Amino acid sequence: MTLRSGPHDQQPWLLASFAMSALVMTAFAAVGGAMSGTGQGQSSVPLMTAGWNPSNRAGRASIETKPYVAATAAYPAGAMAAFAALDDAAAQAAVMREDPPPATPTLGAFVPQVDPKVTPADPSDAESAEPDTQTVAIERGDTLSGLLSEAGVQSSDVQAVLAALKPLYDIASIKAGQNFTLTFGRLPNAQEAASGPSGPVLLSVALKPSIERDIIVERSDGGGYKASEIVKTLTERTDRAYGVINGSLYQAALAAGVPEGAIAELIRIYSYDVDFQRDIQAGDRFDVLFTRYYDDQGTPVKSGTVLHATLTLQGERKPLYRFTHPDEQTVDYYNAHGMNGKRMLMKTPIDGARLSSGFGMRRHPILGFNKMHKGTDFAAPTGTPIMASGNGVVEVAGWAGGYGRYVRVKHDGQYKTAYAHMSRFARGLKAGTRVRQGQVIGYVGTSGRSTGPHLHYEVLANNRHVDSQSVKLPTGTLLAGASMAAFKAEKARLDDVLKATPLVNAVAQRQTNTAQP
Ligand SMILES: [Zn+2]
């Protein structure tokens, strides 16, 4: 097939809808980075420095530094300050991805508020005995020993810390984004004289390898370091949230108290069936049953899975149930009739949370889609991941005139899909590469004939363009026999759980007097 004509130019409403989209993306990126522990979110972590910094790591991701002020007798001074700093970081992350903020005190509450007018300890002030804590984030390629050395820790102490940590934490498993809280302080005079250097020494290193575990390595009174850990017990609970969509599903679900992880899963499981830029209209509804993990103080700390959800779009109910296939042991989402919700091709082959709000476009029929338009446009910020909408083999990955950076995937004898205006391709992607449904093949851009970042998406049936949003595609498989019987039992169970689970946003619902589902 030849590429005689490029896609149409972008329409004004695409640009108008961008401010909202960028906001959503920023929020999502910040939370995503905090949750996944990859380096992706680091740039969005505010750079705050206060107090002195012995390593002078200017420009490094020193996300929090606070002078230590007071502690209870229950914990050594270094441990208290270090845990407080870590808990603050965790609480910040929790506030971003969850709600409500912790209602019960955490370790962080033991640290008194620092009066901003009080100047932090000056390292040159020999009279100062206040420990200093700083939280540093590992960046790609960093090692813990390198990080400690850079922070000014003596090499003998670095080795002692690593040796103490070894039984509790595999330092080879360190990932970009992992935070370490270092506490420095001066030794009592006698010890200081014995150890030689008069500068501050490393009192403790604290880390939180997972939501459930706190590890601290502390300096012993007689020198040397010892490590200990606190393991928290998390309880999995089932929650339910309901809401009316007046912008995007993402915004409405967030407002209703659905955790970020569950929203991402919700969008993903519906992306086979729903065009998140066009199918969502004001007044559409969602009802979602999901699990999440709470700490022993009743604070939600970790997202779980979506068990059951119903999107009601323009009056049409679209329920999905999570079900583990008894023979294949695969987890999937099925509609009420036991049909796998997956399709051969996705309707939204892009991160649905980053799309600009959909329903507003319907209000502007005059600015509606160009009749000659051969594809579907999804307005999203540059860099938004684009997915292969189905399994297949890459036919073209290169520059194609007005299409800019262009990828075409051949799915079977009949269907192909094409993706245009990319800012870049996924690493290693070229003609002949086999791709799976949902695999990232490139990133949104505005290359070629385009006036703003968007994905131009085409579906070809027997090399003729068809409407990607209305084409009747082969659906997933229908359960049968014993699998169907098992599904029906699970569906009945989930329906009962749904009825028995109070809404997490029930108070908000009453206040706004919104109809219950
Ligand atoms: Zn287009």
Side-chain angles (χ1 to χ4, degrees):
M1 147 189 176
T2 55
L3 297 172
R4 263 190 298 275
S5 62
H8 73 118
D9 281 350
Q10 202 180 17
Q11 292 152 356
W13 50 259
L14 281 174
L15 297 173
S17 60
F18 253 71
M20 179 179 292
S21 175
L23 271 175
V24 169
M25 191 199 77
T26 306
F28 201 73
V31 172
M35 285 188 73
S36 64
T38 66
Q40 198 188 359
Q42 280 187 28
S43 59
S44 59
V45 174
L47 199 75
M48 291 181 282
T49 48
W52 62 278
N53 186 336
S55 65
N56 196 18
R57 290 160 65 95
R60 291 292 302 244
S62 175
I63 65 168
E64 187 163 338
T65 313
K66 68 162 68 174
Y68 174 81
V69 179
T72 64
Y75 285 89
M80 279 305 301
F83 276 138
L86 273 180
D87 272 17
D88 282 359
Q92 273 180 11
V95 167
M96 281 192 288
R97 79 173 171 268
E98 303 271 357
D99 65 298
T104 43
T106 63
L107 272 176
F110 286 102
V111 169
Q113 291 296 306
V114 179
D115 184 340
K117 292 191 292 292
V118 176
T119 41
D122 181 343
S124 65
D125 178 4
E127 298 303 305
S128 169
E130 289 180 355
D132 177 89
T133 70
Q134 53 173 305
T135 301
V136 286
I138 288 283
E139 292 171 7
R140 198 174 300 276
D142 278 353
T143 62
L144 180 56
S145 61
L147 188 138
L148 292 172
S149 302
E150 224 181 299
V153 179
Q154 292 178 31
S155 64
S156 58
D157 284 353
V158 172
Q159 293 313 313
V161 166
L162 296 183
L165 198 51
K166 202 174 177 186
L168 293 180
Y169 181 67
D170 176 14
I171 55 170
S173 71
I174 204 164
K175 286 192 189 72
Q178 169 76 56
N179 287 340
F180 289 86
T181 297
L182 312 179
T183 302
F184 292 87
R186 289 169 193 283
L187 297 172
N189 286 344
Q191 268 188 49
E192 198 171 312
S195 64
S198 60
V201 299
L202 181 67
L203 296 181
S204 70
V205 179
L207 61 147
K208 197 186 266 294
S210 68
I211 296 277
E212 294 93 335
R213 288 176 79 209
D214 284 319
I215 296 178
I216 186 156
V217 183
E218 292 166 274
R219 189 175 179 94
S220 312
D221 287 343
Y225 291 86
K226 62 177 195 304
S228 53
E229 70 177 331
I230 296 174
V231 179
K232 293 177 188 171
T233 313
L234 299 186
T235 311
E236 187 180 24
R237 284 193 221 159
T238 300
D239 285 330
R240 176 186 178 190
Y242 164 84
V244 175
I245 305 169
N246 283 309
S248 67
L249 171 62
Y250 173 85
Q251 291 164 312
L254 200 64
V258 183
E260 288 279 350
I263 299 176
E265 193 171 17
L266 188 64
I267 289 171
R268 185 187 62 77
I269 65 180
Y270 279 101
S271 62
Y272 302 99
D273 189 32
V274 175
D275 171 351
F276 278 100
Q277 196 148 65
R278 289 161 197 82
D279 292 349
I280 307 281
Q281 293 197 35
D284 287 343
R285 301 190 300 275
F286 68 89
D287 190 356
V288 57
L289 190 70
F290 58 95
T291 61
R292 64 175 147 184
Y293 295 86
Y294 288 77
D295 65 16
D296 52 12
Q297 291 160 331
T299 305
V301 291
K302 198 165 90 173
S303 193
T305 54
V306 171
L307 298 176
H308 167 45
T310 302
L311 279 188
T312 304
L313 307 182
Q314 290 108 78
E316 186 191 350
R317 295 181 78 251
K318 293 174 176 288
L320 286 178
Y321 296 84
R322 186 177 199 269
F323 176 62
T324 305
H325 195 288
D327 300 335
E328 297 157 20
Q329 287 301 308
T330 48
V331 175
D332 245 318
Y333 290 83
Y334 294 81
N335 70 15
H337 307 292
M339 174 79 80
N340 189 324
K342 278 187 181 168
R343 307 280 167 110
M344 194 189 96
L345 302 176
M346 300 164 87
K347 277 182 110 177
T348 305
I350 191 169
D351 179 346
R354 298 194 185 187
L355 292 172
S356 54
S357 176
F359 73 88
M361 297 168 190
R362 294 279 182 88
R363 290 188 193 151
H364 303 288
I366 296 160
L367 299 175
F369 300 111
N370 188 327
K371 259 169 37 179
M372 300 303 289
H373 194 218
K374 291 179 167 184
T376 306
D377 288 342
F378 293 92
T382 295
T384 299
I386 298 167
M387 299 175 279
S389 72
N391 296 338
V393 176
V394 174
E395 253 189 355
V396 180
W399 189 272
Y403 284 97
R405 282 186 199 86
Y406 170 91
V407 171
R408 193 168 67 233
V409 179
K410 181 175 165 41
H411 298 287
D412 60 8
Q414 192 182 1
Y415 287 101
K416 294 175 181 179
T417 53
Y419 314 78
H421 308 309
M422 289 183 180
S423 55
R424 60 189 171 96
F425 303 123
R427 191 187 301 271
L429 193 89
K430 56 181 191 294
T433 304
R434 190 165 287 279
V435 292
R436 297 180 318 279
Q437 186 171 57
Q439 182 179 336
V440 174
I441 54 173
Y443 300 87
V444 167
T446 184
S447 59
R449 199 187 327 140
S450 164
T451 55
H454 71 290
L455 166 65
H456 170 92
Y457 173 59
E458 296 178 353
V459 175
L460 300 109
N462 299 317
N463 289 330
R464 289 168 58 113
H465 289 90
V466 296
D467 181 352
S468 66
Q469 307 309 297
S470 63
V471 61
K472 292 277 175 257
L473 291 165
T475 52
T477 47
L478 186 67
L479 294 167
S483 303
M484 181 62 107
F487 171 75
K488 281 181 174 166
E490 176 64 0
K491 175 186 175 295
R493 188 188 74 82
L494 288 174
D495 283 337
D496 287 346
V497 173
L498 184 82
K499 286 191 198 110
T501 307
L503 294 164
V504 292
N505 54 332
V507 175
Q509 291 294 321
R510 276 196 298 276
Q511 281 170 350
T512 55
N513 212 13
T514 305
Q516 295 286 311

